[in-house]
Every structure is written in C-alpha cells, then in structure tokens.
C-alpha cells in the first residue's frame, strides 16, 4: 500500500519536473545536497509512513547502517532536525516520506539554513494535485477507508492530514531500541 502510494507520488513529481524542464528550468536537487533536511522543522508524516520506516530500518538496513542510525535516533529530541540524515545522506531514501519526495527546488541550490518555500516559492516544485491526492488516497485503506467515495471525501475534507504527525516531534528512540 505504502510503496504503491510512493510510486504514484514519484510519477507526479517526475511529471511536474518534466513540465518545468521543458520550460528551460533545471532541477537543483542532487545527491549529497541536504540543507533542506536540516532546515525543515515541520515535515508531516502519515501513520502508514511511520510503519514503513520501521519496516525498512529493521528489515532492510544492514547491521552497519542500523548501528549508524541507532545513535541519532536515540538522541533525537523534539524539534531537532530529521534524524535519518547520516553524513549528508538520507538513510531511508527509498522510503523517504511523501513530503520529502514532493519537495524539489529548481535552478539554484538552497543555501544552508534556507527553506526555499519561504525565501523563493517560485523555485519550489508545485506537486500535481491529481497525483498528490491519489498517493494519499492509496494510504487510506490502512485506516479502513476503502471505497472510492469514502476516499474522495477523506481527501477533500483533509481527514488524512489530521492524522499526520511532525517528523521532528516523533519519539524515534523506540525505533532505536529495535535496532540496538
Ligand atoms: S531542496 Fe534545496 S537543499 Fe534540498 S536537495 Fe533540493 S536544492 Fe538541495
Ligand atoms: S527522511 Fe530523508 S529526505 Fe526526508 S528530511 Fe529526513 S534525511 Fe531528508
């Protein structure tokens, strides 16, 4: 369910980037660029995403990667930057959150501490709503919301957003316990 949701979100992001690049814009985001992971402090995370992270970290990371992550997860305090950024690389990149997948910037790499959403909104990718809603809708069966009309309603009323937590405020020490 979660991977299906991420696949849909990625298709939407790919399409938005394609539309911008045909207008001559260039994606600034690249591997190793991670100021956004440190400067953003209110990244929304949906319940199924938290389960996905537990699954990925426990089942898919090797012992060495788990050992590198356990310390930052344990010492992470409420409001601290994302603990999954290890030596400038996202340790959970294949299952990074929807919000992370959607945040892309064009033309100029962000400065340290910059949140381009506030400093130059015009350079930040606007996700295509159709894909964004579809990606969120694919998480809804996890909450028992299965039929199309129910899903549409849950998206329209923002029901799913009411169940989001803030990544930086989650107690990640429980995940640290599972890999220590
Ligand atoms: S959003 Fe900004 S800091 Fe983050 S990867 Fe893209 S250019 Fe780099
Ligand atoms: S989950 Fe990964 S991409 Fe998202 S903020 Fe954390 S380190 Fe960055």
């Amino acid at each position: 369910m979660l991977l299906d949701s991420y696949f849909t979100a990625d298709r939407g992001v790919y399409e938005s980037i394609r539309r911008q690049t045909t207008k001559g814009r260039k994606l600034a985001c690249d591997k190793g660029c991670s100021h956004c992971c440190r400067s953003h402090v209110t990244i929304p995370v949906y319940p199924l995403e938290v389960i996905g992270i537990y699954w990925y970290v426990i089942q898919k990371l090797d012992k060495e990667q788990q050992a590198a992550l356990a310390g930052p997860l344990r010492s992470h305090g409420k409001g601290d930057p994302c603990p999954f950024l290890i030596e400038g690389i996202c340790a959970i990149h294949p299952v990074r959150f929807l919000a992370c997948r959607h945040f892309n910037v064009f033309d100029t790499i962000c400065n340290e501490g910059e949140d381009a959403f506030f400093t130059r909104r015009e350079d930040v990718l606007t996700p295509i709503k159709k894909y964004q809603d579809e990606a969120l809708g694919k998480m809804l069966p996890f909450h028992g919301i299965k039929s199309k009309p129910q899903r549409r309603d849950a998206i329209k009323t923002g029901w799913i957003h009411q169940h989001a937590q803030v990544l930086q405020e989650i107690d990640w020490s429980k995940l640290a316990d599972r890999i220590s």
Side-chain angles (χ1 to χ4, degrees):
M1 216 183 288
L2 182 66
L3 297 181
D4 198 16
S5 166
Y6 286 165
F7 177 72
T8 301
D10 289 350
R11 276 180 58 209
V13 169
Y14 175 84
E15 177 57 22
S16 329
I17 292 172
R18 193 193 63 75
R19 288 181 192 177
Q20 292 301 317
T21 50
T22 55
K23 290 181 194 163
R25 305 206 76 180
K26 189 178 177 302
L27 187 67
C29 306
D30 207 352
K31 197 173 180 188
C33 188
S34 56
H35 292 325
C36 53
C37 304
R38 284 185 288 268
S39 60
H40 293 200
V41 289
T42 53
I43 297 175
V45 174
Y46 298 97
L48 188 60
E49 295 191 287
V50 176
I51 293 174
I53 295 302
Y54 267 69
W55 164 75
Y56 185 78
V57 169
I58 295 167
Q59 300 285 336
K60 297 293 174 187
L61 294 187
D62 62 30
K63 292 284 169 215
E64 203 179 316
Q65 291 167 318
Q66 290 177 342
L69 199 48
L73 288 176
R74 193 174 299 290
S75 62
H76 184 260
K78 270 193 176 184
D80 289 348
C82 176
F84 296 102
L85 188 70
I86 306 294
E87 294 176 7
I89 305 280
C90 177
I92 54 163
H93 194 261
V95 290
R96 67 199 184 286
F97 307 99
L98 272 184
C100 307
R101 301 177 113 83
H102 280 138
F103 197 81
N104 290 273
V105 166
F106 291 97
D107 298 334
T108 309
I109 289 173
C110 307
N111 290 316
E112 185 150 9
E114 178 187 12
D115 183 341
F117 191 86
F118 297 106
T119 56
R120 47 191 172 101
R121 179 69 187 85
E122 68 282 5
D123 287 349
V124 177
L125 174 142
T126 302
I128 300 169
K129 193 167 177 340
K130 169 176 151 332
Y131 288 100
Q132 208 176 12
D133 287 353
E134 203 183 313
L136 284 169
K138 287 187 171 177
M139 291 191 199
L140 289 172
F142 171 73
H143 299 277
I145 300 172
K146 294 185 179 160
S147 75
K148 268 194 180 173
Q150 281 179 321
R151 285 203 223 182
R152 233 184 348 255
D153 203 42
I155 299 291
K156 204 171 152 193
T157 59
W159 181 91
I160 190 158
H161 303 307
Q162 290 161 21
H163 292 76
Q165 293 174 275
V166 173
L167 184 160
Q168 289 82 354
E169 290 177 7
I170 294 175
D171 176 6
W172 292 107
S173 66
K174 293 185 180 72
L175 178 54
D177 291 344
R178 299 286 299 271
I179 55 172
S180 300

